[in-house]
Coordinates of all heavy atoms in Angstrom, one line a residue:
M3 N 148.3 66.9 131.7 CA 148.0 66.7 130.2 C 148.8 65.5 129.7 O 149.9 65.2 130.2 CB 148.4 68.0 129.5 CG 147.2 68.8 129.1 SD 147.5 69.6 127.5 CE 148.7 70.8 127.9
A4 N 148.2 64.9 128.7 CA 149.0 63.8 128.0 C 150.3 64.2 127.5 O 150.4 65.4 127.0 CB 148.1 63.2 126.9
H5 N 151.3 63.4 127.6 CA 152.6 63.9 127.3 C 153.4 62.7 126.7 O 153.3 61.6 127.2 CB 153.3 64.4 128.5 CG 154.5 65.2 128.2 ND1 154.4 66.5 127.8 CD2 155.9 64.9 128.3 CE1 155.6 67.0 127.6 NE2 156.5 66.1 127.9
P6 N 154.1 62.9 125.6 CA 154.8 61.7 125.0 C 156.0 61.3 125.9 O 156.7 62.1 126.4 CB 155.3 62.3 123.6 CG 155.3 63.7 123.7 CD 154.2 64.1 124.8
K7 N 156.2 60.0 126.0 CA 157.2 59.4 126.9 C 158.6 59.6 126.2 O 159.6 59.9 126.8 CB 156.9 58.0 127.2 CG 157.9 57.4 128.2 CD 157.3 56.0 128.6 CE 158.2 55.5 129.8 NZ 157.6 54.3 130.3
R8 N 158.6 59.3 124.9 CA 159.9 59.4 124.1 C 159.7 60.2 122.9 O 158.6 60.3 122.3 CB 160.3 57.9 123.7 CG 160.5 57.0 124.8 CD 161.6 56.0 124.5 NE 161.7 55.1 125.6 CZ 162.4 55.3 126.7 NH1 162.9 56.5 126.9 NH2 162.5 54.4 127.7
R9 N 160.8 60.9 122.5 CA 160.7 61.6 121.2 C 160.7 60.7 120.0 O 161.3 59.6 120.1 CB 161.9 62.6 121.1 CG 163.2 62.1 120.6 CD 164.3 63.1 120.7 NE 165.4 62.6 119.9 CZ 165.8 63.3 118.8 NH1 165.2 64.5 118.5 NH2 166.7 62.9 118.1
H10 N 160.0 61.1 118.9 CA 160.0 60.3 117.7 C 161.3 60.6 116.9 O 161.8 61.7 116.9 CB 158.8 60.7 116.9 CG 157.5 60.1 117.5 ND1 156.3 60.3 116.9 CD2 157.3 59.4 118.5 CE1 155.4 59.7 117.6 NE2 156.0 59.1 118.6
S11 N 161.8 59.6 116.3 CA 163.0 59.7 115.5 C 162.8 60.6 114.3 O 161.6 60.8 113.9 CB 163.5 58.3 115.1 OG 162.6 57.8 114.2
R12 N 163.9 61.1 113.7 CA 163.7 61.9 112.5 C 163.1 61.1 111.4 O 162.3 61.6 110.6 CB 165.1 62.3 112.0 CG 165.6 63.6 112.6 CD 166.8 64.1 111.8 NE 168.0 63.9 112.5 CZ 169.2 64.3 112.0 NH1 169.3 64.7 110.8 NH2 170.3 64.1 112.7
S13 N 163.4 59.8 111.3 CA 162.8 59.0 110.2 C 161.3 58.8 110.5 O 160.6 58.8 109.5 CB 163.6 57.6 110.2 OG 162.8 56.6 110.5
R14 N 160.9 58.6 111.7 CA 159.5 58.5 112.0 C 158.8 59.8 111.7 O 157.6 59.7 111.1 CB 159.3 58.1 113.4 CG 157.9 57.7 113.8 CD 157.8 57.0 115.1 NE 156.4 57.0 115.5 CZ 156.0 56.3 116.5 NH1 156.8 55.6 117.2 NH2 154.7 56.4 116.9
K15 N 159.4 60.9 112.0 CA 158.7 62.2 111.7 C 158.6 62.4 110.2 O 157.6 62.8 109.7 CB 159.6 63.3 112.3 CG 159.1 64.7 112.1 CD 160.0 65.8 112.7 CE 161.3 65.9 111.9 NZ 162.2 67.0 112.5
G16 N 159.7 62.0 109.5 CA 159.6 62.1 108.0 C 158.6 61.2 107.4 O 157.9 61.6 106.5
K17 N 158.4 60.0 108.0 CA 157.4 59.1 107.4 C 156.0 59.6 107.7 O 155.1 59.5 106.8 CB 157.6 57.7 108.1 CG 158.7 56.8 107.5 CD 158.6 55.4 108.0 CE 159.9 55.2 108.8 NZ 159.9 53.8 109.4
R18 N 155.8 60.2 108.8 CA 154.5 60.8 109.1 C 154.2 61.9 108.1 O 153.1 62.1 107.6 CB 154.4 61.3 110.5 CG 153.1 61.9 110.9 CD 153.0 62.4 112.3 NE 153.9 63.5 112.6 CZ 154.9 63.5 113.5 NH1 155.2 62.4 114.2 NH2 155.7 64.6 113.6
R19 N 155.2 62.8 107.9 CA 155.0 63.9 107.0 C 155.1 63.6 105.5 O 154.8 64.5 104.7 CB 156.1 65.0 107.3 CG 155.9 65.5 108.7 CD 156.9 66.6 109.1 NE 156.7 67.0 110.5 CZ 157.4 67.9 111.2 NH1 158.4 68.4 110.6 NH2 157.1 68.2 112.4
A20 N 155.3 62.3 105.2 CA 155.3 62.0 103.8 C 154.0 62.2 103.1 O 153.9 62.4 101.9 CB 155.7 60.5 103.6
H21 N 152.9 62.2 103.9 CA 151.6 62.4 103.3 C 151.0 63.8 103.5 O 149.9 64.1 103.2 CB 150.6 61.4 104.0 CG 151.0 60.0 103.9 ND1 150.8 59.3 102.7 CD2 151.7 59.2 104.7 CE1 151.4 58.1 102.9 NE2 151.9 58.0 104.1
D22 N 151.9 64.8 103.9 CA 151.4 66.1 104.3 C 151.5 67.1 103.1 O 151.0 68.2 103.2 CB 152.3 66.7 105.4 CG 152.0 66.1 106.7 OD1 151.1 65.2 106.8 OD2 152.7 66.4 107.7
A23 N 152.0 66.7 102.0 CA 152.2 67.6 100.8 C 150.8 68.1 100.3 O 149.9 67.3 100.3 CB 153.0 66.9 99.7
L24 N 150.8 69.3 99.9 CA 149.5 69.8 99.3 C 149.4 69.3 97.8 O 150.4 69.2 97.1 CB 149.6 71.4 99.3 CG 149.5 72.1 100.6 CD1 149.8 73.6 100.4 CD2 148.2 71.9 101.3
K25 N 148.2 69.0 97.5 CA 147.9 68.6 96.1 C 147.4 69.7 95.3 O 146.7 70.6 95.8 CB 146.9 67.4 96.1 CG 147.6 66.1 96.6 CD 146.6 65.0 96.5 CE 146.5 64.1 97.7 NZ 145.6 64.5 98.8
I26 N 147.7 69.7 94.0 CA 147.1 70.7 93.1 C 145.6 70.3 92.9 O 145.3 69.2 92.7 CB 147.8 70.6 91.7 CG1 149.2 71.2 91.9 CG2 147.1 71.4 90.7 CD1 150.2 70.9 90.8
P27 N 144.7 71.3 93.1 CA 143.3 71.1 93.0 C 142.9 70.5 91.6 O 143.4 71.0 90.6 CB 142.6 72.4 93.2 CG 143.7 73.3 93.8 CD 145.0 72.7 93.4
T28 N 142.1 69.5 91.6 CA 141.7 68.8 90.4 C 140.5 69.5 89.8 O 139.7 70.1 90.5 CB 141.4 67.3 90.6 OG1 141.1 66.7 89.4 CG2 140.3 67.1 91.6
F29 N 140.4 69.6 88.4 CA 139.3 70.2 87.7 C 139.1 69.5 86.4 O 139.9 68.8 85.9 CB 139.6 71.7 87.5 CG 140.7 72.0 86.6 CD1 140.4 72.3 85.3 CD2 142.0 72.0 87.0 CE1 141.5 72.5 84.4 CE2 143.0 72.2 86.1 CZ 142.8 72.5 84.8
A30 N 137.9 69.8 85.8 CA 137.6 69.2 84.5 C 137.0 70.4 83.7 O 136.5 71.4 84.3 CB 136.6 68.1 84.6
Y31 N 137.0 70.2 82.4 CA 136.3 71.2 81.5 C 134.9 70.9 81.3 O 134.6 69.7 81.1 CB 137.1 71.4 80.2 CG 138.5 71.9 80.3 CD1 139.6 71.0 80.2 CD2 138.7 73.2 80.6 CE1 140.9 71.5 80.4 CE2 140.0 73.7 80.8 CZ 141.1 72.8 80.6 OH 142.4 73.3 80.8
C32 N 134.0 71.9 81.3 CA 132.6 71.7 81.0 C 132.4 71.2 79.6 O 133.0 71.8 78.7 CB 131.9 73.0 81.2 SG 130.1 72.9 80.8
S33 N 131.6 70.2 79.4 CA 131.4 69.6 78.1 C 130.6 70.5 77.2 O 130.5 70.4 76.0 CB 130.9 68.2 78.2 OG 129.6 68.3 78.9
N34 N 129.8 71.5 77.9 CA 128.9 72.3 77.1 C 129.6 73.7 76.8 O 129.6 74.1 75.6 CB 127.7 72.6 78.0 CG 126.7 73.4 77.2 OD1 126.2 73.1 76.1 ND2 126.3 74.6 77.8
C35 N 130.2 74.3 77.7 CA 130.8 75.7 77.4 C 132.3 75.7 77.6 O 132.9 76.7 77.2 CB 130.2 76.7 78.4 SG 130.6 76.5 80.1
G36 N 132.9 74.6 78.1 CA 134.4 74.5 78.1 C 135.1 75.2 79.3 O 136.3 75.3 79.3
T37 N 134.3 75.8 80.2 CA 134.9 76.4 81.4 C 135.5 75.4 82.3 O 134.9 74.3 82.5 CB 133.8 77.2 82.2 OG1 132.9 77.8 81.3 CG2 134.3 78.2 83.1
P38 N 136.6 75.7 82.9 CA 137.1 74.7 83.9 C 136.2 74.7 85.1 O 135.7 75.8 85.6 CB 138.5 75.4 84.3 CG 138.8 76.4 83.3 CD 137.5 76.8 82.7
K39 N 135.8 73.5 85.6 CA 134.9 73.4 86.7 C 135.3 72.2 87.6 O 136.2 71.5 87.3 CB 133.5 73.2 86.1 CG 133.3 71.8 85.4 CD 131.8 71.6 85.1 CE 131.6 70.1 84.8 NZ 131.7 69.2 86.0
I40 N 134.7 72.1 88.8 CA 135.0 71.1 89.7 C 134.3 69.8 89.2 O 133.1 69.8 88.8 CB 134.4 71.4 91.1 CG1 135.0 72.7 91.6 CG2 134.7 70.3 92.1 CD1 134.2 73.4 92.7
P41 N 135.1 68.7 89.1 CA 134.5 67.4 88.6 C 133.3 67.0 89.5 O 133.3 67.2 90.7 CB 135.6 66.4 88.7 CG 136.9 67.2 88.8 CD 136.5 68.5 89.5
H42 N 132.3 66.3 88.8 CA 131.1 65.8 89.5 C 130.3 66.9 90.1 O 129.5 66.6 91.1 CB 131.5 64.7 90.6 CG 132.4 63.7 90.1 ND1 132.1 62.7 89.2 CD2 133.8 63.5 90.3 CE1 133.1 61.9 89.0 NE2 134.2 62.4 89.6
R43 N 130.4 68.1 89.6 CA 129.5 69.2 90.0 C 128.9 69.8 88.7 O 129.6 69.8 87.7 CB 130.3 70.3 90.7 CG 130.9 69.8 92.0 CD 129.9 69.6 93.1 NE 130.6 69.4 94.4 CZ 131.1 68.2 94.8 NH1 131.1 67.2 94.0 NH2 131.7 68.1 95.9
A44 N 127.7 70.4 88.8 CA 127.1 71.1 87.7 C 128.0 72.3 87.4 O 128.7 72.9 88.3 CB 125.7 71.6 88.1
C45 N 128.1 72.7 86.1 CA 128.9 73.9 85.7 C 128.3 75.1 86.3 O 127.1 75.4 86.2 CB 128.9 73.9 84.2 SG 129.8 75.4 83.6
P46 N 129.1 76.0 87.0 CA 128.6 77.2 87.6 C 128.2 78.3 86.5 O 127.5 79.2 86.8 CB 129.8 77.7 88.4 CG 131.0 77.1 87.8 CD 130.6 75.8 87.2
V47 N 128.8 78.1 85.3 CA 128.5 79.1 84.3 C 127.2 78.8 83.5 O 126.3 79.7 83.4 CB 129.7 79.2 83.3 CG1 129.4 80.2 82.2 CG2 131.0 79.7 84.1
C48 N 127.1 77.6 83.0 CA 125.9 77.3 82.2 C 124.9 76.4 82.9 O 123.8 76.2 82.4 CB 126.3 76.7 80.8 SG 127.2 75.1 81.0
G49 N 125.2 75.8 84.0 CA 124.3 75.0 84.8 C 124.1 73.6 84.2 O 123.1 73.0 84.5
F50 N 125.1 73.2 83.4 CA 124.9 71.8 82.7 C 125.6 70.8 83.6 O 126.6 71.0 84.2 CB 125.5 71.8 81.3 CG 124.5 72.1 80.2 CD1 123.9 73.4 80.2 CD2 124.2 71.2 79.3 CE1 122.9 73.7 79.2 CE2 123.3 71.5 78.3 CZ 122.7 72.7 78.2
Y51 N 125.0 69.6 83.6 CA 125.7 68.4 84.1 C 125.2 67.2 83.3 O 124.0 67.1 83.0 CB 125.3 68.2 85.6 CG 126.2 67.1 86.3 CD1 127.5 67.3 86.5 CD2 125.6 65.9 86.5 CE1 128.3 66.3 87.0 CE2 126.4 64.9 87.1 CZ 127.7 65.1 87.3 OH 128.5 64.1 87.9
K52 N 126.2 66.3 82.9 CA 125.9 65.2 82.1 C 125.1 65.6 80.8 O 124.1 65.0 80.5 CB 125.1 64.1 82.9 CG 125.9 63.4 83.9 CD 126.3 62.0 83.4 CE 127.2 61.3 84.5 NZ 127.8 60.1 83.9
D53 N 125.6 66.6 80.2 CA 125.1 67.1 78.9 C 123.6 67.5 79.0 O 122.9 67.4 78.0 CB 125.2 66.0 77.8 CG 126.7 65.6 77.6 OD1 127.5 66.5 77.7 OD2 127.0 64.4 77.4
R54 N 123.2 68.0 80.1 CA 121.7 68.3 80.3 C 121.7 69.4 81.3 O 122.5 69.5 82.2 CB 121.1 67.0 80.8 CG 119.8 67.1 81.5 CD 119.3 65.6 81.8 NE 119.8 65.2 83.1 CZ 119.2 65.6 84.2 NH1 118.2 66.3 84.2 NH2 119.7 65.1 85.4
Q55 N 120.7 70.4 81.1 CA 120.7 71.5 82.1 C 120.0 71.1 83.4 O 119.0 70.5 83.4 CB 119.9 72.7 81.5 CG 120.0 73.9 82.4 CD 119.8 75.2 81.6 OE1 119.0 75.2 80.6 NE2 120.4 76.2 82.0
V56 N 120.7 71.3 84.5 CA 120.2 70.9 85.8 C 119.9 72.1 86.7 O 119.3 71.9 87.7 CB 121.1 69.9 86.5 CG1 121.1 68.6 85.8 CG2 122.5 70.4 86.6
I57 N 120.5 73.3 86.4 CA 120.2 74.5 87.2 C 119.3 75.4 86.3 O 119.7 75.7 85.2 CB 121.5 75.2 87.6 CG1 122.3 74.2 88.5 CG2 121.2 76.4 88.4 CD1 123.7 74.7 88.8
E58 N 118.2 75.9 86.9 CA 117.3 76.7 86.2 C 117.8 78.2 86.1 O 118.6 78.6 86.9 CB 115.9 76.8 86.9 CG 115.2 75.4 86.8 CD 115.0 75.0 85.3 OE1 114.6 75.8 84.5 OE2 115.2 73.8 85.1
G59 N 117.3 78.9 85.0 CA 117.6 80.3 84.9 C 119.0 80.6 84.4 O 119.4 81.7 84.7
E60 N 119.7 79.7 83.8 CA 121.0 80.0 83.3 C 121.2 79.5 81.9 O 121.3 78.3 81.7 CB 122.1 79.3 84.2 CG 122.1 79.9 85.6 CD 123.3 79.4 86.4 OE1 124.4 79.2 85.9 OE2 123.1 79.1 87.6
E61 N 121.3 80.5 81.0 CA 121.6 80.2 79.6 C 120.8 79.0 79.0 O 121.2 77.9 78.8 CB 123.1 79.9 79.4 CG 123.5 80.1 78.0 CD 125.0 79.8 77.8 OE1 125.8 80.4 78.5 OE2 125.4 79.0 76.9
E62 N 119.5 79.3 78.6 CA 118.6 78.3 78.0 C 119.2 77.9 76.6 O 119.9 78.6 76.0 CB 117.2 78.9 77.8 CG 116.5 79.2 79.2 CD 116.2 77.9 80.0 OE1 115.9 76.8 79.4 OE2 116.3 78.0 81.2
I63 N 118.8 76.7 76.2 CA 119.3 76.2 74.9 C 118.5 76.8 73.8 O 117.3 76.8 73.8 CB 119.1 74.6 74.8 CG1 119.5 73.9 76.1 CG2 119.8 74.1 73.6 CD1 119.0 72.5 76.2
Ligands
ZN110 ZN1 129.4 75.1 81.2

């Protein structure tokens, strides 16, 4: 099996892990009903996207 020839230094390990932190999930509020939703996705509650209904059968105007 492939095997590293030399161990990586503490500083090199730290530099690699500098990008490993978890990020807080991003969200936006629906402009129609105000529910927190995933950005660039239709609202799961009212089915609105870009101020217009895009999913059928959910809360007609
Ligand atoms: Zn909504």
Side-chain angles (χ1 to χ4, degrees):
M3 256 216 288
H5 198 76
K7 188 168 188 176
R8 300 214 182 281
R9 81 186 198 117
H10 287 178
S11 65
R12 272 197 252 177
S13 117
R14 187 165 164 173
K15 181 178 74 178
K17 279 187 246 179
R18 180 179 67 240
R19 292 180 185 178
H21 304 279
D22 289 356
L24 292 172
K25 289 185 222 87
I26 290 164
T28 183
F29 67 96
Y31 294 105
C32 175
S33 57
N34 184 59
C35 69
T37 318
K39 67 170 197 69
I40 304 162
H42 309 289
R43 299 288 189 279
C45 176
V47 176
C48 63
F50 267 62
Y51 188 72
K52 287 262 179 187
D53 303 321
R54 164 174 89 77
Q55 188 156 32
V56 291
I57 301 170
E58 291 304 318
E60 297 189 34
E61 199 181 308
E62 294 295 326
I63 315 164

